Amino acid sequence: MKLVTVCQYDAFSTQPNKGNPAGVVLDSRGLTDSDMQEIAAKAGYNETAFLLDSDQADLSIRYFTPGYETNLCGHATMAMIFALASRGELGGKDQLTIETKAGILPLQLSRNHDGEWAITMKQAAPKFIEYGGSKKELMFLMGIKESDLHPALPIVYGSTGSWTLLVPVKLLSAFQRMKPDNEHFPDILQEVPRASVHPFCLETHDPAADMHGRHFSSPFSGTVEDAVTGTASAVMGAYYAKFIHPGFTDQLDLVVEQGQEIGKDGRVGVHVSKNPETLDVRTTGRAVFVKELQISLP
C-alpha cells in the first residue's frame, strides 16, 4: 500500500474555508493515470492538481475531477503555484511557464507589503459557440424561469481552456432560487454535452465586483457545484469584452465574485486585452493552506 499526501488549498481567498478548495499533490512521481484518478476521487475535491516535470516548461500540471481528467483548472493552478511559492520551491522566480493539456501558459507572481502572494495566469485563447437549445428547458434545469434571463445578452458556450455554457441572468436575487438538475444537462447541451453551466449577472453583492456567477458542474465530473471558478471567470471576462463592452481599447480589469450562495466568498481578477487575432485573458488570485490528507493506494 502506498500513501499519497494531498494538500488542501482554498483558492481565490485568503481565508481558510472560503474561496474554492483544491487538492494539490506535490509529489506525483511514479503515479499512473489511474492512480491520479483514484486519488482525485478519494480526495473528493472538484479538482485535484498533480505536479509533474516538463521538457517544455518550468513545470507540468495535470488536473483531475473525481470523474475524469480535465485540460485546465484555474483554481487548482492557483492552489498549486501558491503551494510551491509559499514553500520556497520556485527558486525566487516571479515568472514561469506551466505545461497543461490546454497548452503552455505563462504565469506571473507578485507579493504585496503583507507578504501575500498573488498569481496571474494567462488563459488559452477564448472560443465561443452559439447555444441552439431550448432556453425554457435550460432555465428549468437550473431551477429558475425563462423570464429570469437577461433579455439583451446571448447564451453561448465559452472556453479559455475548459468549456462552460454562459447564461446571462437579469437579477442577483434569482441566484438564491437556483437548484441545478446536473444529471440532465447533457440532454439539452447538444453542441457541447460535457460542458458545465455557468449563470452570471451584472448585479453583485460586493460593490467593488463587476460580475457575479455560479458554476454548475457537468454530471460527468462527479461534482455538483464549483465554489469559485477561475477558468469560467476568465470566460466571463472574454464574454464581457465581446458582448457587453466590445468597444474597449486598452485593457479591461474586472472583478468576478462567486460562492456566496453556498457559504463561500471568492474573488477572481480578470484582465482582458486585444491582440491582432484574438483576446488575451489573464486571471489573478490568491490562496491559503487549509490541511493535509493521506490517501492510500493499493
Side-chain angles (χ1 to χ4, degrees):
M1 185 174 70
K2 179 178 181 180
L3 288 178
V4 177
T5 300
V6 180
C7 302
Q8 178 185 329
Y9 285 82
D10 288 355
F12 302 122
S13 177
T14 56
Q15 297 181 54
N17 301 312
K18 296 292 185 181
N20 197 358
V24 168
V25 178
L26 294 167
D27 185 0
S28 304
R29 290 173 297 182
L31 296 178
T32 65
D33 290 8
S34 59
D35 288 339
M36 293 186 219
Q37 187 63 75
E38 183 175 346
I39 290 164
K42 287 182 174 179
Y45 301 110
N46 279 14
E47 277 87 10
T48 296
F50 295 83
L51 177 66
L52 298 160
D53 293 330
S54 173
D55 295 329
Q56 306 174 61
D58 291 299
L59 53 94
S60 174
I61 306 176
R62 291 177 68 180
Y63 310 90
F64 287 79
T65 75
Y68 63 86
E69 183 174 9
T70 186
N71 290 342
L72 183 67
C73 174
H75 82 276
T77 302
M78 296 290 170
M80 174 65 79
I81 300 303
F82 179 85
L84 294 170
S86 60
R87 292 164 184 247
E89 296 183 18
L90 293 177
K93 289 185 177 182
D94 60 3
Q95 296 189 47
L96 65 152
T97 54
I98 61 167
E99 178 186 351
T100 75
K101 290 197 171 182
I104 295 176
L105 304 175
L107 289 92
Q108 186 169 358
L109 291 87
S110 60
R111 271 182 121 169
N112 64 16
H113 61 277
D114 294 324
E116 294 178 333
W117 289 100
I119 299 136
T120 299
M121 173 183 174
K122 181 175 172 59
Q123 303 280 317
K127 301 174 185 176
F128 294 102
I129 296 173
E130 184 178 350
Y131 171 70
S134 164
K135 294 179 181 179
K136 183 177 181 179
E137 286 184 52
L138 171 64
M139 301 303 273
F140 176 78
L141 291 180
M142 288 195 298
I144 55 177
K145 298 178 180 179
E146 188 175 358
S147 59
D148 290 309
L149 273 172
H150 193 291
L153 295 174
I155 302 172
V156 296
Y157 301 91
S159 172
T160 56
S162 185
W163 285 102
T164 193
L165 183 71
L166 291 160
V167 184
V169 173
K170 279 190 297 190
L171 299 175
L172 187 62
S173 57
F175 286 74
Q176 290 285 358
R177 292 187 273 117
M178 292 177 182
K179 293 181 179 179
D181 182 359
N182 305 59
E183 182 182 351
H184 290 98
F185 284 166
D187 297 342
I188 60 166
L189 303 184
Q190 302 273 323
E191 299 85 1
V192 190
R194 287 182 171 266
S196 54
V197 175
H198 195 82
F200 71 91
C201 73
L202 302 178
E203 189 179 5
T204 59
H205 294 281
D206 181 353
D210 299 284
M211 305 174 83
H212 176 84
R214 290 186 76 174
H215 190 81
F216 302 132
S217 308
S218 163
F220 300 103
S221 72
T223 61
V224 174
E225 181 168 0
D226 211 24
V228 191
T229 318
T231 48
S233 295
V235 177
M236 285 169 66
Y239 182 105
Y240 191 99
K242 183 175 177 65
F243 298 106
I244 298 172
H245 192 28
F248 81 100
T249 55
D250 187 14
Q251 177 172 291
L252 288 172
D253 293 304
L254 306 169
V255 175
V256 174
E257 65 173 28
Q258 190 184 330
Q260 289 76 16
E261 292 83 5
I262 56 173
K264 303 289 186 177
D265 188 1
R267 301 289 185 281
V268 183
V270 184
H271 321 284
V272 187
S273 57
K274 292 179 178 177
N275 69 37
E277 296 179 353
T278 184
L279 296 171
D280 288 321
V281 184
R282 293 171 294 126
T283 54
T284 298
R286 305 180 188 276
V288 60
F289 173 76
V290 179
K291 64 184 179 184
E292 290 185 356
L293 305 174
Q294 297 295 320
I295 303 294
S296 62
L297 293 175

